[in-house]
Amino acid sequence: MIVIYTSPGCASCRKVKAWLKEREIKFIEKNIFNVLLNRKEVKYLLSRSDNGTDDIISKRSKIIQENRIDLDNMSLDELVDFIIQNPSILRRPIILNEDNFQVGYDVEEIESFKPRDLAKLAKCDKNCVNYKTCGRLRCLDD
């Protein structure tokens, strides 16, 4: 199942939700201001991030800038507490499932969230039995 961490007024969040709905892909939306994140969840998000805090935290956020917060010198517990108390520092949307993790809306990267069955249908394969009817239309760029 795909989970999306969103916030109100986030244009990228709306794009991701629209993309998923257009493809009839089910997802769970968690508005970070309405649903209190718990410690386990925040630790999980941090563990899925390839670059730690750089991927999911906006270091340009007002809270971090005004208070001169040094995230790099925080312990994991301090960081988790800080995120829970200040969810606005999270970049949005954060999109994840069992296999994929993405922050922000990227037209090419979001394709990885297509179910495998759907991705197979979208591929152009000249050996496919349906190539004569639909495959060539998909391969006009070839």
Side-chain angles (χ1 to χ4, degrees):
M1 175 60 74
I2 295 173
V3 178
I4 309 168
Y5 292 86
T6 65
S7 67
C10 170
S12 294
C13 298
R14 286 191 299 273
K15 287 178 185 178
V16 167
K17 291 188 295 185
W19 186 90
L20 292 166
K21 286 176 184 175
E22 285 171 11
R23 287 152 185 81
E24 298 178 3
I25 300 172
K26 293 181 182 179
F27 63 93
I28 296 170
E29 179 180 5
K30 291 190 173 190
N31 180 320
I32 62 170
F33 295 109
N34 293 340
V35 177
L36 192 62
L37 301 173
N38 64 43
R39 296 184 65 72
K40 185 177 179 182
E41 195 170 20
V42 172
K43 284 182 178 181
Y44 182 70
L45 291 175
L46 289 167
S47 74
R48 291 290 304 270
S49 170
D50 288 337
N51 300 309
T53 59
D54 290 342
D55 284 346
I56 67 169
I57 294 178
S58 174
K59 292 187 177 177
R60 294 183 295 160
S61 76
K62 188 175 182 180
I63 292 167
I64 291 174
Q65 293 294 313
E66 286 181 356
N67 297 302
R68 295 187 176 137
I69 303 294
D70 184 2
L71 299 172
D72 296 330
N73 286 322
M74 286 184 175
S75 70
L76 179 59
D77 286 334
E78 290 171 332
L79 178 61
V80 169
D81 289 340
F82 186 71
I83 293 170
I84 291 170
Q85 293 166 7
N86 302 284
S88 66
I89 67 169
L90 290 173
R91 295 180 187 268
R92 298 170 295 277
I94 298 174
I95 315 155
L96 64 133
N97 63 12
E98 301 81 29
D99 301 319
N100 304 301
F101 182 89
Q102 179 179 333
V103 180
Y105 176 74
D106 182 295
V107 178
E108 292 174 11
E109 286 184 27
I110 199 164
E111 291 289 324
S112 67
F113 286 94
K114 277 186 186 175
R116 288 186 179 106
D117 302 358
L118 192 58
K120 285 180 187 174
L121 290 174
K123 284 188 176 176
C124 178
D125 184 352
K126 293 179 182 178
N127 297 320
C128 176
V129 295
N130 296 315
Y131 178 75
K132 287 184 179 181
T133 53
C134 67
R136 283 187 290 158
L137 294 174
R138 293 187 189 133
C139 297
L140 290 176
D141 294 336
D142 286 353

